[in-house]
Amino acid sequence: MKFTLKPTDITEIESDALVFFGSDTTLPNLIKGPVPLAKILKRAVEREEFKGEFSKTLVISAPAESPSYKFIIVGLGKEDEFDYFKLQETVGHAIAACRQIKARKITISIMEDWMKKFGAATAVQAVVEAVILSSYQFHKFKSSPPSETGMIEEVILSVTPSRLSSAEEGVRIGQIFAEATIFARDLVNDPPRLTTPTYLAKVAELIAKSSKDEIKVKILDQKEIETLGMNAFLGVSRGSDEPPKFIRLHFKPRNPKKKVVIAGKGITFDTGGLSLKDSKNMETMKLDMAGAAAVLSVFQVISKLKINYEVVGLIAACENMPSGKALKPGDILQALNGKTIEVLNTDAEGRLTLSDVLSYAADKEKADEIIDLATLTGACVVALGEDIAGLWGSNDKLLQKIEECAKSAGEKLWRMPLESDYKELIKSHIADVKNIGGKWGGAITASLFLHEFVGNTPWIHIDIAGPAYTEKNTPLSPIGGTGYGTRLLLRYLISG
Ligand code: BES
Ligand code: ZN
Ligand code: ZN
């Protein structure tokens, strides 16, 4: 998809569809404007009783003398409710309308109001990301791709001339962020027979190879993982015929400000193990490496961005399978930091693999901070629904920073408590901790469990079990992996 910035009058740009936006307050001005097309818009808006309602679109045939074939107006809703998420969703709706009419070349009029509200580069970045992400399709396993909707090939963004250079930066960053997000989506959407631990390790090696030495990779195999003493990770992997891989990616700029570890849960398929999931709950469990996909996607683009942190990506990749060799409820595992874990449910496997990854990040990497992304608990989806990730952490300043970055990355999350009173619930009578809590607060007890392994290192945990995967088509993502976490991590990393 090609993006071009044009500071010219939109009525002179030739394209298949010219897209405008109007909110409850800006729509009346738009149709009153001096431009000749204001009249046409006014008539359509009145005939269709369009009031700029959020996500509503109006497709209007343009007059013969217009260089655009169609005009599309998309409602922004109430001005005072408008935010970054709404901006991207609205663009998603606009793209759906453009594809419906099989437009190939479109013009989007970027509103001056958005540039004022979010900054010119950020507003343009948001639009570019939304255009690319809402156009994403995963059709490689279809024998013939569906033909009901068209594909957009060229996007002209019209901006006021004074905004041109910031807008250029927005286009560049937006394309990189979207490219990375799509990379993560593809990894989640590919079938689990393909995306094995060995495959993820190969992907990491390829990323390093194509980075011209800016990224280093280290893959530890089963023997090396044993020697290191990651026994909790090995316990989970034990039931599978696929060998586990411990993946470490490393990026170090000159004079880094600090060392950040990003860790992603990398269960390439979660059957639950001997605590087997039922078939309905197992259907989507290829998604259980979405955290790992986000980490890999960051490294896929990291050398194209200006990042002042040393960044280490860690993934303990394995399958969670039942078999004669599988981990059993009642087993006790010793993690890398020496703590012992009583396993009472083999389906709570993510926290087991992560216990070793977090110990490694704190003790071996001596990270300044750790951020983990994990499709960790169904309980988090119960608490926050499918769209919002749960956020926990041990450091208030870092939590605040992540919240800010999420808002301007278009990724929804909500801060949750690391309630120390609930630590009682993960105490084991036979080992240091057990891998399940009580009946309630499952996402909190899972976070408290992880906290046991980070020592004093400032740490952030994001439970992405809800937003990593969508079971319905949404404005920015079709059914499947969403690439959640990629834009948040990238936003955080470039902000330092
Ligand atoms: N991978 C799942 C969590 C999950 C559930 C992700 C739904 C995405 C959608 C995780 O390994 C799991 O099975 N967790 C259990 C923990 C329980 C046994 C304490 C859960 O949430 O049911
Ligand atoms: Zn599980
Ligand atoms: Zn899992």
Side-chain angles (χ1 to χ4, degrees), residues 265 270 288 349 375:
K265 175 173 169 182
D270 183 11
D288 221 13
E349 84 299 335
T375 46

Side-chain angles (χ1 to χ4, degrees), residues 265-299:
K265 175 173 169 182
I267 300 297
T268 62
F269 195 76
D270 183 11
T271 65
L274 289 179
S275 313
L276 197 66
K277 288 183 184 293
D278 61 45
S279 47
K280 198 73 209 143
N281 281 313
M282 209 190 291
E283 266 179 21
T284 55
M285 279 305 133
K286 66 175 183 181
L287 66 73
D288 221 13
M289 38 62 80
V295 169
L296 289 169
S297 74
V298 165
F299 282 89

Side-chain angles (χ1 to χ4, degrees), residues 174-192:
Q175 282 177 305
I176 295 172
F177 277 35
E179 176 205 332
T181 308
I182 282 176
F183 186 83
R185 284 183 182 180
D186 283 345
L187 278 172
V188 172
N189 288 335
D190 267 326

Side-chain angles (χ1 to χ4, degrees), residues 33 130 143 186 218 302 378 466 490:
S143 27
D186 283 345
K218 185 167 77 175
I302 205 166
L490 288 174

Side-chain angles (χ1 to χ4, degrees), residues 416-451:
M416 303 283 271
L418 205 53
E419 175 58 55
S420 59
D421 283 357
Y422 290 1
K423 273 203 215 163
E424 277 302 311
L425 297 166
I426 54 165
K427 277 200 178 140
S428 161
H429 68 280
I430 195 172
D432 298 333
V433 276
K434 58 181 178 180
N435 81 330
I436 49 169
K439 188 174 171 190
W440 310 112
I444 300 176
T445 45
S447 306
L448 288 167
F449 181 96
L450 297 183
H451 195 202

Side-chain angles (χ1 to χ4, degrees), residues 214-217 248-252 299 310-313:
E214 287 197 66
I215 299 168
K216 303 264 186 284
V217 65
R248 177 186 190 267
L249 284 155
H250 184 210
F251 170 84
K252 190 174 182 181
F299 282 89
E310 179 178 1
V311 189
V312 172

